[in-house]
Amino acid sequence: SWTSFANSTQESGLVMGLECMNMMPGVATDFIIYTGATDTASKIDWIRRVNNPANWTSFSDCNGYYADNRHYQESYGISSGASGTYVWTGEKNNNWFDCGNWQNLKVPDTLANVIIPSNGVTYEVSIPTPPTTPIIYQAAYCKDILIDTNRTFTMSNVDSKLWVYRDMTIKTSFTLSQGLVVFKGINDGTLKIDSGRVVKFYDIEIDKLSNKKLNLYDDYSSLIIKNQLKLQNGIINNQNNNSLVIIENSASNAISSYSINSYIANKIKRNVISTGSYDLPLGTTSYYELANINLNNAPDINYINAKFNTPISPIDISGLELYVDGTLLTELLDYGYWTIEQQGATTIDYDITITSRGHTNQGPFAAAHTIVKRDNSSTNWYLEGTHNNSDQAMGTDPNGTNWVRAKRTHLTAMSDFAIAKGTNPLPINLLYFDAYLENQQIKLKWATATEQNVSHFFIYRNNYTKNTQNAILNIPAFGNSNQLQEYIETDYNPVNGWNTYYLEE
């Protein structure tokens, strides 16, 4: 028994997964003779015989070895029937990493097709912390894995890991209270859970190539995660069926690392509490369409259900006569819309932020956009909550995809949401406009939170005609800004009595 190659006097140099292919593991000496059965057997049975210390006789020196007179070499018969499939037998214990528990006496590698069969199992399989001696494992590995009926499946340590490089098929029910399952590889993979089976994972990570998918097989293959979902690379795809990604952990950070390279296409259900910010990393298999719900106050809420829908029709909403800061909203961004629903809450106050990609008709400025909503697909779009120009944004991803982000605050019910654009940029967000008397002169003070393509401010006094020639003050604006800008000017010749002032951009 040894803990590393350096401590082995024989320097065996075992290949990973082949620990069972050595002679008398842990008790071998230099002077041994095979004294077990010699009748014809399969390759696997011969390996089992060789691996059994009871089939060997050892000696302390050469004299004893040669005196026994059984140190011969002979060719024994080998029958067919050895299988290359990695079938779990659990003959020795429940440890995945013990080669004696596998039918071919080899621990599965990244190319292995693993079967945990419904019959012929002594101990149920369990994945402990990956061992580091005598072989270093980063995780339990497999290409495909089938967990058949009548089986249980456990991960016995917080550091337990299973890496699945392609497909996972589950025909039983189980709940993992710890451990991490990672879907990896350069190929698409599939998670298939049989109808009527409930499987709950603890931690899940998606770490495939950026354009590869983990497909949820059908309406029964909902991916239920008790603790953490890490979207490192690759897409979880449930776009064409009713399966869900369900996050039971209500912490805001229960989903992490999502990006344009890794998200959910396109349905998710998140457990939430009455306050907190919850990202919904949605999209299609082509575009990432992130949404965020910030719950200001939602007593008794349990879950948020969300999905992204495409296409969206009609695009033209000018006939609805929706205005923001005096600007008519004319079109919806044309790629799709979000459906977000609450469960358990009747009274709710929340903010929503959504980011559109894949559209072809965005406005020229971020402040040209806002969020509209509708109760369902049979009703018209309308405005709810508060719009602030400084909350809107737009840009381009490193891969060249344009995006627009829009936000509205203090909404009271969830439904369908889309991003709309106006005929012109919504030019400024005015914080205040004040006037006060000082030494027989009038001080005029105003401030903006944002400005988009604003050239001048014009100030009119008392009865006026909307013509810049009648303005008493013509003040250059900052122009384009997403931060606080303050202005102070003076009316040196106010009239006797009341003075009323009007600000225009």
Side-chain angles (χ1 to χ4, degrees), residues 134-276:
I135 306 298
I136 297 176
Y137 290 86
Q138 294 177 288
Y141 312 116
C142 64
K143 183 179 181 181
D144 297 340
I145 181 170
L146 164 64
I147 304 174
D148 214 333
T149 57
N150 304 319
R151 295 278 63 84
T152 63
F153 182 81
T154 60
M155 303 182 83
S156 61
N157 194 281
V158 293
D159 296 320
S160 300
K161 298 180 181 69
L162 171 64
W163 290 0
V164 180
Y165 280 79
R166 194 171 64 181
D167 300 337
M168 187 174 198
T169 302
I170 303 173
K171 296 186 176 183
T172 187
S173 297
F174 58 82
T175 296
L176 300 179
S177 59
Q178 56 194 356
L180 169 66
V181 177
V182 185
F183 291 93
K184 297 178 70 71
I186 61 174
N187 300 306
D188 289 344
T190 298
L191 173 63
K192 180 180 180 181
I193 301 172
D194 271 10
S195 174
R197 308 301 184 180
V198 177
V199 175
K200 295 185 179 183
F201 297 92
Y202 189 70
D203 289 335
I204 288 287
E205 180 177 340
I206 309 299
D207 190 16
K208 292 179 169 290
L209 288 184
S210 298
N211 62 341
K212 297 302 179 180
K213 299 179 288 296
L214 173 66
N215 297 300
L216 302 190
Y217 181 75
D218 53 30
D219 292 353
Y220 309 113
S221 296
S222 290
L223 175 56
I224 305 175
I225 302 164
K226 290 174 61 63
N227 186 48
Q228 186 79 31
L229 170 60
K230 186 175 183 180
L231 294 166
Q232 191 71 29
N233 266 304
I235 299 170
I236 299 178
N237 177 29
N238 59 358
Q239 186 168 319
N240 297 316
N241 56 50
N242 291 322
S243 59
L244 284 171
V245 176
I246 302 173
I247 310 296
E248 293 191 336
N249 182 4
S250 61
S252 293
N253 62 354
I255 308 176
S256 64
S257 300
Y258 39 89
S259 68
I260 59 172
N261 297 318
S262 194
Y263 53 89
I264 299 164
N266 62 344
K267 291 177 282 292
I268 189 173
K269 180 178 181 180
R270 287 201 68 168
N271 190 3
V272 299
I273 57 177
S274 59
T275 60

